[in-house]
Amino acid sequence: MTTSAAVPTGSEGAIPSDGAVTDRLVEANERYASAFTDPGMDARPVLHVAVVACMDARLDLHAALGLELGDCHTIRNAGGVVTDDVIRSLTISQRALGTRSIVLIHHTGCGLESLTEEFRHELEMEVGQRPAWAVESFRDVEQDVRQSMQRVRTSPFLLHTDDVRGFVFDVHTGLLREIDPA
């Protein structure tokens, strides 16, 4: 399994804040591109599925779901929350690129469980401008998955809302637990 473990850990491997991380990523891309062959795919996912998940670095969605390049559209944000922008992406995914199924994945130990809307107020006090977006924090991950499923199922912009399923990924076991929408 390839992980960021290739980045040294400990004080000798501390990641500097001077752009060296981005330089490392660009160098990795150059190595990748030197062996890259165009797979000849278009943007339509082979499995006709879009996955909405949290941006948490512990979630390796392709490995966890047995997916290959080209199998799905992946939409990620803090919490895997179904926001207006997620609905926008799902609408394009369905209407322009042929997806029919939607999988929603939240996870245990999510950082949004420890935030509140007070975070927005703190930002406003710090920078002098209130963020236009909501934090979308939650206390109950299962209930938030249900809310996300409901937001997808009731969107007037989405064509296919009959195959929408929600899960909680356990960051300690790697297992998905399906959430009943009821």
Side-chain angles (χ1 to χ4, degrees):
M1 174 169 88
T2 302
T3 67
S4 61
V7 175
T9 58
S11 60
E12 73 283 351
I15 298 175
S17 60
D18 62 359
V21 172
T22 302
D23 292 339
R24 182 179 289 166
L25 298 176
V26 171
E27 290 167 9
N29 174 256
E30 289 169 358
R31 289 188 300 278
Y32 171 79
S34 70
F36 181 79
T37 345
D38 181 354
M41 303 175 180
D42 70 11
R44 295 174 183 273
V46 173
L47 299 179
H48 307 285
V49 63
V51 178
V52 178
C54 185
M55 66 185 191
D56 192 293
R58 297 171 290 181
L59 276 66
D60 182 348
L61 291 176
H62 276 73
L65 301 175
L67 296 168
E68 299 292 330
L69 181 67
D71 281 348
C72 72
H73 284 157
T74 306
I75 304 160
R76 296 181 79 157
N77 67 20
V81 176
V82 176
T83 60
D84 287 345
D85 195 57
V86 168
I87 293 294
R88 170 189 161 272
S89 293
L90 289 171
T91 301
I92 293 166
S93 179
Q94 286 191 351
R95 292 179 176 264
L97 298 166
T99 60
R100 300 184 60 84
S101 300
I102 299 171
V103 174
L104 305 171
I105 300 178
H106 286 36
H107 65 91
T108 59
C110 185
L112 283 187
E113 291 176 289
S114 63
L115 287 177
T116 66
E117 289 299 318
E118 181 67 19
F119 182 73
R120 290 177 72 225
H121 175 72
E122 291 167 1
L123 283 172
E124 180 181 7
M125 294 298 100
E126 179 183 329
V127 302
Q129 181 178 339
R130 179 179 298 131
W133 38 265
V135 174
E136 297 274 357
S137 61
F138 53 87
R139 295 281 180 246
D140 181 337
V141 68
E142 290 185 15
Q143 181 54 35
D144 203 64
V145 171
R146 286 186 196 95
Q147 176 175 296
S148 292
M149 286 190 279
Q150 185 65 17
R151 284 180 178 175
V152 168
R153 288 188 173 128
T154 59
S155 172
F157 306 109
L158 298 173
L159 296 171
H160 308 288
T161 58
D162 54 322
D163 188 12
V164 177
R165 294 173 65 186
F167 300 85
V168 174
F169 176 87
D170 187 309
V171 297
H172 299 293
T173 67
L175 290 172
L176 289 176
R177 179 171 34 91
E178 187 157 11
I179 303 303
D180 184 352

